[in-house]
Amino acid sequence: MMADVYRELPAPAPLRSVVRCRWLSVAGDAKRIVPDGCLDLIAGGGRVFVAGPDTEAWWSRQPPGTRLHGLRFRPGHAPRVLGVPADELRDQRVDLAELWGARGRQLTERVLNSPGDLLEVVGVPDDDADPALDVVLARLDRGVPRVSAALTGLDLGARQFRRRFGAAVGYGPATYLRVARLRRAIELAGEVPDLAGLAAEAGYADQAHLSRDCRELTGVTPSAYFRSVQDGAARPRLRSSA
């Protein structure tokens, strides 16, 4: 069994409005990657590709020792760089050449020869961020109990905003709220010893609610998944690779 290596680094200051972090992974055994609301741009294993927003667990299977370099976009901001709505990339891994044609092929060859150039694929977008979207995402991340609470006080047409949200994030705000709640549970798993307490601390209605969402988003029972988190097998890599 080969140990997996994963390390995150801060995003360069000029890109922090769109990039959450950059990361390096050296593949070991297959890893379960669970949804986190983000898209990643990844170079390695002979490809440069975008990992779209996931709605269920994804298994990363790379030959042991494969080095992957990645950029993780802030939720809602990847389409401003990629020029593609996030919901068109949902649950997919798409080569940059397929997204950008000849320019994508040129950048792929360049980045595979010099992975450090991955940062140069990402420019600062010319358009302005959607401030209402950032407000709603921040409220969902903080743990509002329902989507309607995240929209309170904002002058938004609900149907139109849900379309904007899906194009920016990859799925609707209700799914994002479930993903954000699971992320909180993962972060708290090392501090809360039992599932009932973890459900309460992370904002679930009860333990059954946690169990249902955990099975749907991770593919395993909460007892099995959070045991792996507490053992350190899952927590460092909410999502990192193909």
Side-chain angles (χ1 to χ4, degrees), residues 32 34 57 59 210-226 228:
R32 184 192 312 272
V34 302
W59 280 94
L210 166 64
S211 296
R212 185 169 59 252
D213 272 13
C214 185
R215 285 193 185 93
E216 291 180 7
L217 293 172
T218 72
V220 294
T221 64
S223 57
Y225 183 73
F226 287 106
S228 73

Side-chain angles (χ1 to χ4, degrees), residues 2-180:
M2 181 174 178
D4 191 69
V5 175
Y6 175 71
R7 183 162 58 102
E8 288 187 359
L9 300 167
L15 299 180
R16 287 177 188 164
S17 62
V18 292
V19 175
R20 171 177 283 179
C21 69
R22 51 195 171 118
W23 54 263
L24 170 67
S25 173
V26 182
D29 298 314
K31 289 290 184 183
R32 184 192 312 272
I33 311 299
V34 302
D36 66 355
C38 296
L39 286 81
D40 287 32
L41 178 63
I42 301 170
R47 300 175 64 193
V48 177
F49 61 97
V50 175
D54 294 327
T55 58
E56 58 186 12
W58 184 283
W59 280 94
S60 173
R61 293 186 174 90
Q62 295 283 347
T66 301
R67 294 174 68 87
L68 298 173
H69 299 260
L71 298 178
R72 181 158 304 135
F73 293 100
R74 293 178 57 206
H77 291 268
R80 300 174 57 211
V81 173
L82 299 174
V84 178
D87 48 7
E88 293 186 10
L89 302 170
R90 183 172 54 228
D91 295 322
Q92 297 186 62
R93 273 54 179 158
V94 181
D95 287 343
L96 190 63
E98 184 176 342
L99 287 181
W100 287 359
R103 179 171 171 245
R105 288 191 291 275
Q106 292 170 358
L107 287 169
T108 294
E109 182 176 351
R110 174 180 168 185
V111 169
L112 290 178
N113 288 326
S114 178
D117 290 352
L118 187 64
L119 285 169
E120 298 182 23
V121 174
V122 180
V124 178
D126 294 330
D127 65 324
D128 294 327
D130 183 338
L133 178 73
D134 282 342
V135 169
V136 173
L137 284 166
R139 290 175 176 177
L140 295 171
D141 284 335
R142 285 199 298 269
V144 292
R146 58 188 64 84
V147 171
S148 59
L151 302 177
T152 300
L154 298 174
D155 184 18
L156 298 170
R159 182 175 299 179
Q160 183 187 41
F161 181 72
R162 287 174 196 277
R163 284 199 295 270
R164 282 163 53 191
F165 193 99
V169 177
Y171 34 65
T175 299
Y176 186 88
L177 178 58
R178 295 176 64 220
V179 169

